[in-house]
């Protein structure tokens, strides 16, 4: 399952054949994202396992399995901020159950990110996906 916003990224990546252009596009997506307020850049929102500083904050509408998942995020690294924008396109607006059902690895592989990110960036991306899944699971279970 992938959102319309994520499908647009897939289409753009198919159009942009050069990886430098794709990286530029991801960075531009990050620049276009509203920055996270400094008040939310706290240990509770910080994602461990990322080489750069990364903060993700869930913003959920409703409760239980049908709650709608939204999140905000930020990073001190432009490419990582762009990856947060990609994850927002993938997950934003889904129910928490749909978030849990989404195979992020398979969806991100459609962009070729698995082949073109450094191992540190890949580990950080996995840590962000895990944080999102943990947040969604907590809401789905009513925690």
């Amino acid at each position: 399952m992938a959102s319309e916003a994520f499908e647009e990224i897939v289409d753009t990546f198919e159009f942009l054949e050069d990886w430098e252009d794709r990286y530029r596009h991801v960075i531009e997506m990050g620049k276009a994202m509203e920055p996270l307020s400094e008040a939310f850049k706290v240990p509770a929102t910080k994602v461990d396992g990322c080489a750069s500083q990364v903060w993700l904050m869930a913003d959920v509408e409703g409760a239980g399995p049908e709650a709608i998942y939204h999140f905000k995020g930020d990073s001190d690294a432009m490419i990582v901020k762009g990856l947060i924008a990609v994850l927002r396109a993938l997950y934003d607006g889904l129910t928490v159950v749909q978030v849990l059902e989404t195979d992020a690895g398979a969806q991100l592989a459609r962009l070729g990110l698995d082949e073109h990110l450094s191992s540190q960036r890949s580990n950080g991306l996995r840590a962000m996906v895990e944080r999102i899944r943990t947040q969604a699971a907590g809401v789905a279970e009513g925690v």
Side-chain angles (χ1 to χ4, degrees):
M1 156 175 272
S3 69
E4 190 175 314
F6 187 79
E7 291 300 335
E8 287 177 20
I9 297 171
V10 172
D11 291 346
T12 300
F13 267 49
E14 287 173 2
F15 176 74
L16 299 172
E17 295 177 13
D18 181 61
W19 264 95
E20 281 188 32
D21 291 338
R22 290 178 178 185
Y23 275 127
R24 265 193 292 282
H25 181 67
V26 169
I27 289 169
E28 289 303 316
M29 288 174 55
K31 286 180 180 177
M33 235 177 26
E34 184 178 324
L36 190 63
S37 166
E38 291 297 320
F40 296 119
K41 293 182 180 179
V42 296
T45 61
K46 191 166 185 299
V47 179
D48 295 323
C50 298
S52 28
Q53 302 282 318
V54 177
W55 301 271
L56 297 180
M57 187 183 84
D59 183 16
V60 180
E61 294 175 33
E66 297 305 310
I68 304 298
Y69 186 81
H70 300 284
F71 77 94
K72 296 176 182 178
D74 209 342
S75 175
D76 60 351
M78 290 311 298
I79 188 69
V80 176
K81 193 168 180 174
L83 293 174
I84 293 168
V86 170
L87 291 177
R88 281 186 69 183
L90 180 61
Y91 290 117
D92 197 62
L94 299 180
T95 66
V96 291
V97 170
Q98 291 171 322
V99 168
L100 295 170
E101 292 173 347
T102 298
D103 183 345
Q107 293 298 333
L108 295 171
R110 294 173 61 203
L111 300 176
L113 290 174
D114 52 335
E115 301 167 17
H116 290 90
L117 291 177
S118 68
S119 60
Q120 274 190 323
R121 293 272 187 254
S122 293
N123 288 339
L125 188 58
R126 276 191 292 280
M128 288 188 279
V129 168
E130 191 54 40
R131 170 66 66 93
I132 290 166
R133 292 180 55 77
T134 299
Q135 291 171 338
V139 173
E141 296 167 6
V143 176

